[in-house]
């Protein structure tokens, strides 16, 4: 049975998923962090508009995620943040398994969110940079299909080797996606090992995306 923390994680990840392809407002061309989020969404939106919800199968979901969404997200950095201090305690094999699990669970959530997409929108107010210019917060407001408005910040950093900006967290209604996962996983790791946690996650089914539950809890 899912507890309140599990439901909160699902809601945050589900909102993050919808927001990653609900961008409707473009800013100046030199706003690179915003362009990363925007470019990750335009192709997805165009393809979703060509299909009916029942036509959005698993193969389509994986193709769109691989092509548009994943390149904008630093999967390893998000996984590191979710495990926190336990990341360094994991073996390289365990770290890679955790990244894979995390990605696969997102794909399952993307599948439900793709089917539920019905014109939700995300408008941005500004982009705020860190003093050294290496990190940025893209601030916005997400409007759900029921009219509810949800504040959201996308956190990005500039990879020094490639020069690319990548998403490493989203803060939704004041709740960090990564911090929420870290709290949940840290609680579990008080009583089991990292290897046991990974095995548990690998065998645990992902709760299907439920837009009505998401809206009811907003």
């Amino acid at each position: 049975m899912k507890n309140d923390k599990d439901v909160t994680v699902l809601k945050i990840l589900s909102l993050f998923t919808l927001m990653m392809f609900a961008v409707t407002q473009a800013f100046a061309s030199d706003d690179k962090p915003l362009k990363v989020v925007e470019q990750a969404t335009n192709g997805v939106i165009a393809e979703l508009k060509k299909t009916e919800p029942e036509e959005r199968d698993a193969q389509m979901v994986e193709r769109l995620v691989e092509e548009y969404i994943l390149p904008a997200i630093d999967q390893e950095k998000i996984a590191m943040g979710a495990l926190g201090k336990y990341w360094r305690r994991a073996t390289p094999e365990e770290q890679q398994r955790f990244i894979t699990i995390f990605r696969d669970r997102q794909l399952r959530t993307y599948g439900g969110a793709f089917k539920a997409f019905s014109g939700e929108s995300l408008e941005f107010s500004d982009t705020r940079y860190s003093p050294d210019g290496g990190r940025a917060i893209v601030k916005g407001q997400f409007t759900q299909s029921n009219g509810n408005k949800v504040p959201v910040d996308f956190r990005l950093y500039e990879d020094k080797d490639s020069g690319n900006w990548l998403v490493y967290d989203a803060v939704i209604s004041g709740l960090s996606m990564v911090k929420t996962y870290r709290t949940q996983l840290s609680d579990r790791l008080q009583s089991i090992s990292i290897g046991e946690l990974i095995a548990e996650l690998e065998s645990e089914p992902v709760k299907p995306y439920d837009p009505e539950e998401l809206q009811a809890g907003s």
Side-chain angles (χ1 to χ4, degrees), residues 28-154:
S29 60
D30 61 348
D31 191 340
K32 293 182 180 179
L34 178 60
K35 284 191 69 178
V36 167
V37 179
E38 181 186 38
Q39 289 173 357
T41 66
N42 287 343
V44 175
I45 292 173
E47 297 207 38
L48 289 178
K49 287 182 176 179
K50 297 176 184 176
T51 61
E52 296 297 326
E54 59 271 15
E55 297 174 344
R56 300 168 190 168
D57 58 19
Q59 185 176 4
M60 177 184 181
V61 169
E62 183 152 3
R63 178 177 64 81
L64 293 181
V65 171
E66 292 279 1
E67 186 172 350
Y68 297 107
I69 305 296
L70 292 185
I73 302 174
D74 189 326
Q75 293 286 324
E76 181 172 334
K77 196 171 186 67
I78 290 179
M80 289 174 63
L83 276 183
K85 65 182 180 181
Y86 295 98
W87 176 262
R88 287 191 291 273
R89 302 180 189 181
T91 65
E93 179 189 3
E94 289 172 334
Q95 290 174 352
Q96 189 55 54
R97 284 172 66 195
F98 183 77
I99 292 172
T100 300
I101 293 167
F102 200 80
R103 174 186 175 279
D104 289 347
R105 292 172 79 85
Q106 288 180 78
L107 280 171
R108 287 288 301 276
T109 304
Y110 285 133
F114 275 34
K115 286 184 176 296
F117 179 74
S118 59
E120 292 84 359
S121 65
L122 176 62
E123 296 183 350
F124 295 103
S125 55
D126 61 352
T127 300
R128 301 179 183 178
Y129 291 86
S130 61
D132 65 2
R135 292 177 183 264
I137 297 176
V138 177
K139 302 186 70 66
Q141 180 174 264
F142 180 67
T143 302
Q144 295 176 269
S145 57
N146 64 358
N148 287 344
K149 296 184 182 298
V150 182
V152 55
D153 296 343
F154 283 107

Side-chain angles (χ1 to χ4, degrees), residues 160-191:
K160 297 303 182 183
D161 294 329
S162 66
N164 295 329
W165 284 86
L166 298 169
V167 175
Y168 69 92
D169 195 9
V171 180
I172 302 163
S173 293
L175 294 175
S176 161
M177 180 183 72
V178 169
K179 186 176 180 180
T180 301
Y181 267 106
R182 184 164 62 242
T183 298
Q184 181 189 35
L185 297 178
S186 179
D187 288 349
R188 192 75 185 102
L189 285 167
Q190 299 300 310
S191 56

